[in-house]
Amino acid sequence: FPSHDKQMKGDSVIRYLFRALLGIWLCWIPLMSAYADELETYVQMKCKKGCIDVDILREAAEHSALINNITVVEVIALIAIESGFVVKAKNRGSLGLMQVHIPSHRSKFSVDYYDPFENVGIGGRIYKACLDRRRGQAWTDSCYRRGEGTRGIDRVYHHKLNKARQEIARLI
């Protein structure tokens, strides 16, 4: 029967795609493990006390990148520069991994300023708002650091963030 023959071909395609996807997934597992190991080494090198667990860092960064349409590299680089991977980092009214300025962004938090998912998610949203103004990478970086009313570019901060981006990109 011709219809039976078409069904067989369809099953073969489905089986082929399943095997291909399974193969890709099985190859990805060691890469994820290597990525986690290298990232963990990097975090330990940059942070000595009160550091975030690497699995939580990865999940929070991936979640923030996904919901804010930015890269994981960008999110982790911001965390590296802003807090040095210290969960309860605090500096002049800015708190957490992304050093969100609480007086300016208090209404965006629901529960805990230090919750990694909430802090990184809100930090990602703030960064995305700066990025959406399309004034260039240096201005976007300065906007995140100084706030949306930024005039001028903080070249030192931009340089530090670029260096962190390059380091993180090599890891993942």
Side-chain angles (χ1 to χ4, degrees):
F1 294 104
S3 62
H4 175 71
D5 203 26
K6 287 181 184 176
Q7 180 65 37
M8 289 293 287
K9 286 180 183 175
D11 287 347
S12 296
V13 170
I14 291 170
R15 263 184 279 177
Y16 173 78
L17 289 173
F18 176 75
R19 286 184 185 143
L21 290 173
L22 182 62
I24 291 168
W25 183 75
L26 289 174
C27 291
W28 181 249
I29 290 171
L31 290 175
M32 288 179 359
S33 177
Y35 154 60
D37 291 345
E38 288 185 33
L39 186 58
E40 186 166 3
T41 301
Y42 182 78
V43 170
Q44 289 172 352
M45 183 178 73
K46 298 286 182 182
C47 180
K48 301 301 177 208
K49 188 176 178 185
C51 309
I52 187 166
D53 176 78
V54 175
D55 292 330
I56 294 172
L57 169 66
R58 183 180 43 78
E59 285 181 46
E62 288 173 355
H63 182 257
S64 180
L66 181 67
I67 63 172
N68 294 302
N69 196 27
I70 55 179
T71 68
V72 173
V73 169
E74 198 70 57
V75 175
I76 295 174
L78 282 163
I79 293 169
I81 297 304
E82 289 293 327
S83 66
F85 301 106
V86 176
V87 176
K88 298 216 178 215
K90 184 166 37 171
N91 184 20
R92 289 186 258 156
S94 296
L95 302 175
L97 290 165
M98 297 283 276
Q99 287 293 283
V100 176
H101 190 250
I102 300 307
S104 302
H105 302 287
R106 181 172 318 223
S107 64
K108 294 176 182 163
F109 283 89
S110 61
V111 181
D112 183 3
Y113 300 133
Y114 294 112
D115 176 77
F117 289 93
E118 194 166 2
N119 190 280
V120 173
I122 292 167
R125 196 173 343 149
I126 295 164
Y127 185 80
K128 177 65 172 164
C130 292
L131 186 64
D132 285 347
R133 295 174 104 186
R134 301 185 194 285
R135 294 189 181 169
Q137 190 66 58
W139 187 89
T140 298
D141 296 345
S142 298
C143 172
Y144 185 82
R145 169 101 193 245
R146 296 178 179 169
E148 289 193 47
T150 297
R151 291 180 185 235
I153 293 173
D154 185 338
R155 296 205 185 279
V156 172
Y157 182 76
H158 174 64
H159 177 72
K160 282 184 192 177
L161 198 48
N162 270 342
K163 185 177 178 195
R165 284 182 189 107
Q166 291 168 0
E167 291 171 351
I168 300 297
R170 279 193 287 267
L171 299 175
I172 54 179

